[in-house]
Amino acid sequence: MKTGGSSCSLPGFTRSQLCRWSACPAGLGPGQTQLPGSTPRLPLTWAELDWSPSSDPHLLAGHVRAHSLGVVAEPSFKRYPGHPGVWKMLTAAVCVALLGCLHAQELQGHISVILLGATGDLARKYLWQGLFQLYLDEAGKGHSFRFHGAALTTTEQGQEVIAKVLESLSCPKDTAPARCAELKDQFQQLSEYRRLKTAEDYLALSKDIEAWVQREGLQEVGRVFYFSVPPFAYADIARNINSSCRPGPGAWLRVALEKPFGHDHSSAQQLATELGSFFQEDEMYRVDHYLGKQVVAQILPFRDQNREALDGLWNRHHVERVEIIMKETVDAEGRTSFYEEYGVIRDVLQNHLSEILTLVAMELPRNVSSSEAVLQHKLQAFRALRGLQKGSAVLGQYQAYSEQVRRELQKPDGFHSLTPTFAGILVHIDNLRWEGVPFILMSGKALDERVSYVRILFKNQACCVQSEKHWVPDQSRCLPQQIVFYIGHGELGSPAVLVSRNLFRPSLPSASWKEVPGQPELHLFGRPLSDYYAYSPVREQDAYSILISHIFHHRKDSFITTENLLASWIFWTPLLDSLAHEVPRLYPGGAENGHLLDFEFSGNHLAFSQQPLEQLVPGPGSGPTPSDFQVLRAKYRESPLISAWPEELIAKLADDIEATAVQAVRRFGKFHLALSGGSSPVALFQQLATGHYGFPWAHTHLWLADERCVPLWDPESNFQGLQVHLLQHVRVPYYNIHPMPVHLRQRLCAEEDRGAQVYAEEISALVANSSFDLVLLGMGTDGHTASLFPQSPTGLDGEQLVVLTKSPFRPYQRMSLSLPLINRARKVAVLVMGRMKREIAVLVSRVGHEPRKWPISGVLPDSGQLVWYMDYEAFLG
């Protein structure tokens, strides 16, 4: 039996002549005798021939076989002397009936699918089944296929593996066993294994494809290469495909790539550059299999089909929080070499959960069917994500992990891994729709259940008078209001979309989604299933089958573009770097975890809800913890000194600033606060933003003690740091915020723009006697403060209130309050933190008033108070 095409061999007629006569109904493909519900119409009928086959049973002694790959017709006709020429017309009619679909097939052409890594775990479990499903879906629609499994395995071994895989393929549940066996047999005959290693191997494959296409009289439409191989092999394979195995002119190339796509932004950029030198962006399909899961793929259509109901709800005014969760019961045993390199954040959060986050948070395009529009809106969502801090994450590791690593990777007995197997991340989005709404991303191994979902929990401001037993699910506003995209597993056991009945009745396509039957015992998220409108897919489909179909149909919105990939890594890489040496919390695994991994969020910070057992109950000889020390009060340079551990020091300074603010507002009706930039005040800003609800922000004026000469939106700008960590979290009237005018007339700190004089005039006009109520300063390792440097005497004396200075560090140009203006303040607080400041702290404690050598030594308010706030590392080393 021939495979991959059709043939008709009749004396006196060429294949092309027969095909030119065919008139197959639109949509009729190989293996179909008619369209559903229709009657085939042949170009010639027996009546038109004025002849009936029943008139002479000896005329037709033919044998015809039709199957879904095409047709083999072997008719033999005996002359009928009473009807000269009839046999020719009969031959044409029979071949037309049998080969009508071939015409459509030839118009569409041939497609080759090459699965690289065809003997690997992913290919055996999912990809061959996905290719079989593609064949089932598309073979009757005018294309012919061949499937080439390829790997480095020898031909004999590879053929043996592939044969077992092909035998294990399954058909949809509604397929009859006999039909399924027939389809599997067809697919097996279209599939082959070959070893692909060298450029010559790829060239030989290309020539074989071309020879097949030519022999079958087909036209090549395109080639799909699916990379189910490690990323380190991508470049060599891409080079071989580009040089030796591209299809000819007029045919397309599509390349599917499996994650991981890099380890951080730098490696992702390098890999993208390498691949970009061989393939065009339109040819690459980076696969994230979560985008093929039915419920994930339904998020955008659901939002689109329910626009009217969701338009007023899908925003910060109504959404309390969003949870994006993937829990696993399995551990990393057998995969520790991969996990040691990537960990849970790179394995799950940077890709699967981030992609889902963008689908939930992105602005909805007018046309969700436009791949280009969807991808652009996803990119905008990535760019709106607020940068992550170390405090945005909690990490865990199941207790058996390090022992598994030691065993599998032959590590020494004393080795302890820092790789997290559990992570919870708090994400915020800086745009008008989602400002202030926490997005919680969480994933882990060895947890109590296997489940994945997206839960949008809405704010509930109702207060019901009647008791809960009288609440009606579709009427009571006091019941929880939520939308859940239930990706799979868990209590429900299957994918579903759930909408609280007291929200709205959702619209889903009835052809592909059905209502879930009631299960009285089942509770989800604290409520019985009957409290939800619940819908599940009519037919469950594997994610890889869906994505392979999308590759075939050029659906780019189901894949990750280079631009979106790099945007994701730009977001995640700084957090990963900051957590590289963090020790994760150990947990036993499974149900024994109890509440050990529960976490809480406040502002921008996540923290475990309970301390680990060894800290709750210190054993004999336990070392001191920060809470064992009290805030130390002493003198430093004849001024009050407050010293403590960093957390307690920041809390004390925040309390003191609030007390000063309250007192100033009570006396003068306003509070003028000047703040320095740098890294030290960041924790203070966050503390003021999240823990001081009695702060009189409405009466506070915020000034800058110094500024770098960069645009205010630049990440290096002190004002930008103030904006990110404080201003966007508190309610300060915008006219009370006074950034330094370093960027005037599209120039930075130009003398002729008089920016320093403008700021000085503003201070003189608004601040009584130009005396700030409080100035917060820091101290550099060279003794500088604000932007007053030892190498730059400007601003250390004289009448100028604000000056332009030169820094020894980039950016070199700065603007700063002068030392005389600082010393007019009613109170000056100097914050010094970190072991790097220990040396300068000791030195400054011994010097006198030498501001030209040590500008910080010149800080001494004329009639106000100076207080030093120094953590133990800076003060005691």
Side-chain angles (χ1 to χ4, degrees):
M1 180 175 69
K2 289 192 175 185
T3 60
S6 308
S7 64
C8 180
S9 177
L10 294 174
F13 295 92
T14 67
R15 176 188 177 101
S16 59
Q17 284 174 320
L18 290 171
C19 290
R20 280 198 300 272
W21 293 341
S22 64
C24 184
L28 190 61
Q32 292 177 281
T33 58
Q34 65 182 77
L35 291 171
S38 67
T39 303
R41 172 72 168 97
L42 301 180
L44 295 173
T45 67
W46 301 122
E48 289 168 338
L49 291 172
D50 192 27
W51 184 87
S52 168
S54 61
S55 62
D56 189 339
H58 300 289
L59 179 64
L60 178 60
H63 169 71
V64 175
R65 287 187 294 121
H67 52 77
S68 65
L69 299 181
V71 180
V72 178
E74 302 167 358
S76 61
F77 299 96
K78 293 182 178 180
R79 288 269 182 180
Y80 187 70
H83 297 270
V86 164
W87 72 271
K88 288 188 177 182
M89 290 184 285
L90 177 60
T91 298
V94 171
C95 276
V96 163
L98 298 177
L99 292 177
C101 53
L102 176 63
H103 183 62
Q105 178 172 321
E106 289 189 326
L107 287 176
Q108 297 294 327
H110 182 73
I111 294 163
S112 302
V113 181
I114 301 93
L115 175 55
L116 301 157
T119 59
D121 187 58
L122 179 65
R124 295 198 310 271
K125 285 183 177 178
Y126 299 109
L127 300 182
W128 279 109
Q129 181 66 45
L131 294 177
F132 181 45
Q133 187 62 50
L134 175 70
Y135 173 72
L136 297 180
D137 293 340
E138 302 296 337
K141 298 178 182 177
H143 289 98
S144 67
F145 289 86
R146 289 193 78 195
F147 301 91
H148 308 267
L152 300 179
T153 310
T154 64
T155 302
E156 184 177 348
Q157 290 175 322
Q159 288 174 339
E160 184 178 341
V161 172
I162 298 305
K164 291 179 180 178
V165 174
L166 297 181
E167 190 58 40
S168 69
L169 297 176
S170 60
C171 299
K173 293 179 181 178
D174 56 355
T175 306
R179 177 62 175 158
C180 182
E182 181 185 2
L183 293 169
K184 285 174 62 175
D185 180 64
Q186 294 165 12
F187 184 73
Q188 289 168 5
Q189 293 187 57
L190 288 175
S191 303
E192 64 153 12
Y193 174 82
R194 63 169 62 218
R195 192 179 190 191
L196 282 184
K197 187 174 183 180
T198 66
E200 290 73 21
D201 294 335
Y202 284 85
L203 183 60
L205 170 63
S206 186
K207 288 183 177 179
D208 285 353
I209 293 172
E210 291 167 2
W212 170 272
V213 170
Q214 185 175 7
R215 184 169 63 250
E216 293 300 313
L218 302 172
Q219 181 176 354
E220 185 173 15
V221 171
R223 298 178 188 178
V224 176
F225 285 85
Y226 199 115
F227 284 44
S228 181
V229 297
F232 66 77
Y234 282 4
D236 287 341
I237 294 174
R239 184 179 296 106
N240 287 331
I241 293 172
N242 187 55
S243 64
S244 307
C245 209
R246 273 188 172 273
W252 47 253
L253 172 68
R254 292 174 191 162
V255 177
L257 304 160
E258 277 286 341
K259 78 176 186 73
F261 309 119
H263 185 266
D264 54 18
H265 179 257
S266 175
S267 59
Q269 177 72 73
Q270 181 180 354
L271 180 60
T273 301
E274 287 180 345
L275 291 172
S277 65
F278 302 116
F279 305 129
Q280 299 173 18
E281 180 66 31
D282 193 54
E283 295 174 331
M284 291 186 284
Y285 294 73
R286 290 183 182 84
V287 174
D288 183 330
H289 78 275
Y290 254 62
L291 292 177
K293 290 186 176 290
Q294 285 174 285
V295 167
V296 175
Q298 184 61 26
I299 292 176
L300 282 187
F302 177 88
R303 291 180 59 190
D304 183 49
Q305 291 154 15
N306 295 277
R307 278 182 192 257
E308 186 175 346
L310 290 175
D311 272 351
L313 294 174
W314 210 258
N315 56 61
R316 60 191 169 97
H317 301 297
H318 296 280
V319 175
E320 180 181 310
R321 69 174 183 261
V322 178
E323 301 170 3
I324 305 175
I325 309 297
M326 177 185 165
K327 296 168 65 178
E328 297 182 272
T329 54
V330 299
D331 60 19
E333 188 171 15
R335 296 183 68 225
T336 56
S337 59
F338 170 84
Y339 232 72
E340 272 299 276
E341 184 175 359
Y342 290 93
V344 67
I345 296 179
R346 291 181 174 92
D347 185 37
V348 177
L349 283 84
Q350 180 272 327
N351 38 71
H352 304 328
L353 304 195
S354 294
E355 288 296 316
I356 294 173
L357 185 153
T358 60
L359 294 175
V360 173
M362 63 183 271
E363 293 300 310
L364 199 59
R366 291 185 178 181
N367 180 11
V368 295
S369 300
S370 167
S371 294
E372 184 178 355
V374 169
L375 292 170
Q376 279 302 312
H377 282 71
K378 286 178 68 175
L379 182 60
Q380 291 169 13
F382 267 125
R383 289 173 174 170
L385 298 177
R386 185 185 304 168
L388 295 172
Q389 307 293 326
K390 186 187 294 187
S392 304
V394 291
L395 304 178
Q397 181 191 99
Y398 64 84
Q399 288 174 345
Y401 178 76
S402 284
E403 193 278 327
Q404 291 172 347
V405 173
R406 290 193 292 269
R407 184 176 66 251
E408 294 180 14
L409 303 184
Q410 289 79 53
K411 297 289 185 180
D413 291 342
F415 174 81
H416 290 280
S417 173
L418 295 180
T419 300
T421 60
F422 167 87
I425 308 290
L426 178 62
V427 177
H428 282 93
I429 302 175
D430 288 334
N431 61 26
L432 286 176
R433 181 179 295 277
W434 298 113
E435 180 186 357
V437 177
F439 284 72
I440 300 164
L441 279 57
M442 187 267 280
S443 183
K445 290 188 172 294
L447 300 180
D448 63 311
E449 65 173 338
R450 182 186 183 189
V451 68
S452 301
Y453 61 84
V454 185
R455 182 187 182 210
I456 297 96
L457 183 64
F458 293 88
K459 297 176 181 177
N460 194 334
Q461 298 171 329
C463 180
C464 295
V465 176
Q466 286 188 300
S467 61
E468 185 176 350
K469 64 183 179 182
H470 297 295
W471 296 354
V472 180
D474 57 353
Q475 295 177 7
S476 176
R477 309 303 295 177
C478 285
L479 289 170
Q481 298 175 326
Q482 48 196 335
I483 295 174
V484 181
F485 297 100
Y486 203 89
I487 299 169
H489 306 291
E491 292 288 334
L492 195 55
S494 61
V497 177
L498 311 174
V499 179
S500 294
R501 289 183 178 271
N502 58 353
L503 269 176
F504 61 91
R505 187 182 189 95
S507 172
L508 284 93
S510 59
S512 52
W513 291 82
K514 62 182 180 181
E515 286 206 57
V516 176
Q519 302 178 45
E521 326 80 32
L522 182 58
H523 281 63
L524 296 171
F525 308 102
R527 302 305 306 170
L529 183 62
S530 58
D531 275 15
Y532 302 94
Y533 295 111
Y535 296 84
S536 63
V538 171
R539 180 167 70 97
E540 289 190 36
Q541 293 178 275
D542 173 68
Y544 282 100
S545 297
I546 292 174
L547 291 176
I548 288 171
S549 175
H550 287 185
I551 294 169
F552 176 79
H553 289 289
H554 194 46
R555 284 275 306 276
K556 289 285 286 184
D557 55 308
S558 298
F559 302 90
I560 301 168
T561 64
T562 300
E563 206 170 15
N564 283 23
L565 172 69
L566 297 180
S568 176
W569 276 119
I570 287 172
F571 174 68
W572 285 102
T573 298
L575 176 70
L576 289 164
D577 290 344
S578 71
L579 296 174
H581 303 293
E582 285 293 301
V583 179
R585 169 173 290 193
L586 295 178
Y587 58 96
E592 296 179 24
N593 293 335
H595 298 290
L596 194 60
L597 296 178
D598 292 352
F599 54 85
E600 301 171 0
F601 58 91
S602 175
N604 291 323
H605 291 268
L606 276 186
F608 285 116
S609 300
Q610 68 177 48
Q611 293 300 310
L613 191 60
E614 59 269 23
Q615 290 185 22
L616 289 173
V617 186
S622 296
T625 64
S627 59
D628 295 327
F629 295 87
Q630 300 298 318
V631 172
L632 174 65
R633 297 180 183 274
K635 289 282 186 179
Y636 181 82
R637 289 183 59 82
E638 304 302 322
S639 295
L641 167 70
I642 296 174
S643 189
W645 292 103
E647 295 85 354
E648 293 166 319
L649 183 69
I650 290 298
K652 172 61 177 169
L653 176 54
D655 287 342
D656 290 351
I657 293 175
E658 181 175 351
T660 304
V662 170
Q663 184 180 18
V665 170
R666 188 179 295 128
R667 291 181 61 192
F668 309 114
K670 60 189 69 173
F671 173 56
H672 289 279
L673 172 63
L675 299 168
S676 283
S679 57
S680 294
V682 168
L684 172 66
F685 297 161
Q686 294 171 342
Q687 177 73 21
L688 288 171
T690 59
H692 288 262
Y693 299 105
F695 202 102
W697 293 114
H699 304 284
T700 297
H701 286 256
L702 290 175
W703 304 81
L704 288 181
D706 68 315
E707 181 59 282
R708 297 174 171 93
C709 292
V710 295
L712 296 183
W713 58 84
D714 191 292
E716 291 192 330
S717 164
N718 289 342
F719 179 78
Q720 177 65 11
L722 184 66
Q723 161 69 16
V724 168
H725 300 294
L726 178 63
L727 293 180
Q728 66 180 0
H729 307 294
V730 297
R731 295 185 180 276
V732 181
Y734 73 92
Y735 43 78
N736 284 6
I737 300 170
H738 309 280
M740 281 186 159
V742 295
H743 195 190
L744 299 174
R745 299 180 178 86
Q746 299 185 352
R747 296 181 294 193
L748 294 169
C749 294
E751 290 275 5
E752 54 269 33
D753 292 334
R754 300 181 68 252
Q757 292 90 323
V758 169
Y759 205 54
E761 291 167 5
E762 188 176 3
I763 292 170
S764 299
L766 296 176
V767 182
N769 301 318
S770 299
S771 298
F772 292 106
D773 295 300
L774 191 149
V775 176
L776 175 68
L777 300 174
M779 178 171 68
T781 54
D782 59 354
H784 83 266
T785 190
S787 282
L788 303 173
F789 297 93
Q791 301 88 342
S792 177
T794 308
L796 299 179
D797 50 30
E799 297 297 322
Q800 285 184 277
L801 301 182
V802 184
V803 294
L804 294 176
T805 66
K806 297 286 186 181
S807 165
F809 317 106
R810 290 182 179 273
Y812 300 121
Q813 285 186 298
R814 307 289 178 94
M815 185 179 290
S816 178
L817 302 185
S818 68
L819 196 55
L821 178 59
I822 291 171
N823 284 333
R824 291 189 193 182
R826 293 186 174 88
K827 183 175 181 178
V828 177
V830 182
L831 177 61
V832 185
M833 297 178 68
R835 187 165 297 179
M836 292 179 60
K837 302 292 178 69
R838 168 63 180 159
E839 187 176 340
I840 189 64
V842 171
L843 180 61
V844 169
S845 70
R846 298 170 180 168
V847 303
H849 183 80
E850 300 181 62
R852 291 185 178 275
K853 286 186 177 180
W854 322 104
I856 190 67
S857 70
V859 175
L860 188 61
D862 302 329
S863 56
Q865 182 186 28
L866 171 63
V867 182
W868 295 82
Y869 293 81
M870 223 177 270
D871 72 357
Y872 286 140
E873 288 194 332
F875 184 51
L876 302 174

